[in-house]
């Protein structure tokens, strides 16, 4: 996929092949442009989700008129604001016709040139683009600007591109001076703990090199990745209470029997005809 930037004053191209039209790839190209040319006054793009957060609407309300709601900026939109670069959305393909015509040229001349050069990989495509095609297209199609002054502004000291061109999120500090990010726990260094830090909202920068930077106000904090907290086993549900066993009822057949008042064996045998000597 080709990402192309065309200067409005001179029609010069600044392009690169990427594996996908993602936020990170656009930030990589933007960083290269800023380091080479400086900060332009504005970028004029389409209204893709990379540049604008769309308002979600329900399917059953296609024609309902609602008040305009200011949506939070995308990561690229936030980065442009921090760089003091305006963003102008194009409302139709015809509004950015120069870029559209440029893609037609690329589909013709660039594709044919890479086929002749035997380009088969992304690295070879970018090498051909930078050494063959861009020098040709800028020498052929570029024009002299109407004014001699360059509207690009230089990068200043506060423009830390590694911090600005990153994915920025907000996290709240827990009571144990930790923050959670992407299912991981980061511990703030003891030497950076200050009054008001607990419960504060921090700026967390997920940078393109894979590192994480945490900022409180205008100061960066040292953080370290913690091991996952062991998950405690779920408590077992209480077993149902056993019913108290009632004492078994004893038989009352001998309730009024008194052994002392009972007849002697020989007395009992006289009436039964049994000889007591045989017992």
């Amino acid at each position: 996929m080709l990402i192309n930037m065309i200067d409005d004053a001179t029609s010069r191209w600044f392009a690169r092949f990427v594996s996908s039209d993602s936020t990170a790839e656009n930030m990589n190209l933007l960083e290269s442009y800023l380091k080479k040319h400086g900060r332009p006054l504005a970028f004029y793009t389409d209204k893709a989700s990379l540049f604008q957060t769309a308002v979600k609407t329900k399917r059953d309300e296609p024609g309902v008129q609602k008040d305009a709601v200011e949506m939070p900026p995308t990561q690229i939109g936030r980065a442009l604001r921090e760089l003091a670069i305006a963003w102008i959305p194009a409302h139709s393909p015809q509004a950015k016709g120069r870029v559209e015509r440029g893609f037609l040229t690329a589909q013709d001349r660039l594709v044919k040139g890479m086929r002749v050069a035997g380009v088969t990989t992304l690295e070879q495509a970018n090498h051909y683009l930078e050494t063959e095609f861009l020098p040709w297209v800028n020498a052929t199609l570029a024009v002299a600007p109407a004014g001699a002054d360059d509207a690009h502004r230089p990068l200043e000291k506060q423009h830390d591109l590694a911090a600005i061109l990153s994915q920025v999120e907000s996290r709240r500090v827990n009571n144990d001076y930790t923050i959670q990010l992407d299912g991981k726990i980061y511990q703030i260094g003891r030497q950076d703990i200050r009054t008001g830090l607990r419960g504060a909202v921090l700026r967390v920068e997920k940078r393109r090199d894979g590192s994480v930077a945490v900022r409180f106000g205008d100061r960066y904090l040292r953080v370290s990745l913690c091991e996952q907290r062991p998950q405690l086993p779920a408590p077992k549900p209480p077993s149902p209470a056993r019913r108290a066993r009632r004492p078994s009822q004893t038989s009352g057949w001998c309730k009024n029997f008194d052994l002392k008042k009972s007849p002697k064996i020989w007395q009992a045998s006289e009436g039964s005809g049994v000889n007591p000597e045989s017992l």
Side-chain angles (χ1 to χ4, degrees), residues 53-71:
T53 304
V55 180
K56 295 183 178 180
T57 58
K58 296 181 180 179
R59 292 184 177 180
D60 55 351
E61 299 180 339
V64 176
Q65 297 294 330
K66 296 182 179 180
D67 295 336
V69 179
E70 184 177 357
M71 301 296 292

Side-chain angles (χ1 to χ4, degrees), residues 86-102:
W87 175 69
I88 304 174
H91 297 287
S92 65
Q94 292 77 14
K96 55 186 184 71
R98 181 176 297 179
V99 174
E100 296 298 328
R101 291 191 298 270

Side-chain angles (χ1 to χ4, degrees), residues 7 25 34 48 71 82 123 142 145 166 171 175 179 184 200 250:
D7 182 71
E25 293 289 3
L34 294 172
M71 301 296 292
E82 295 180 5
E123 291 74 14
S166 61
R171 289 294 184 271
N175 291 333
I179 60 173
K184 300 178 182 178
T250 57

Side-chain angles (χ1 to χ4, degrees), residues 184-212:
K184 300 178 182 178
I185 300 174
Y186 292 85
Q187 178 71 57
I188 299 174
R190 184 182 297 273
Q191 63 273 26
D192 289 333
I193 294 177
R194 299 291 186 272
T195 303
L197 184 59
R198 182 182 297 174
V201 177
L202 306 182
R203 171 186 167 117
V204 180
E205 300 167 356
K206 298 166 61 177
R207 301 193 173 181
R208 288 167 292 150
D209 60 359
S211 63
V212 174

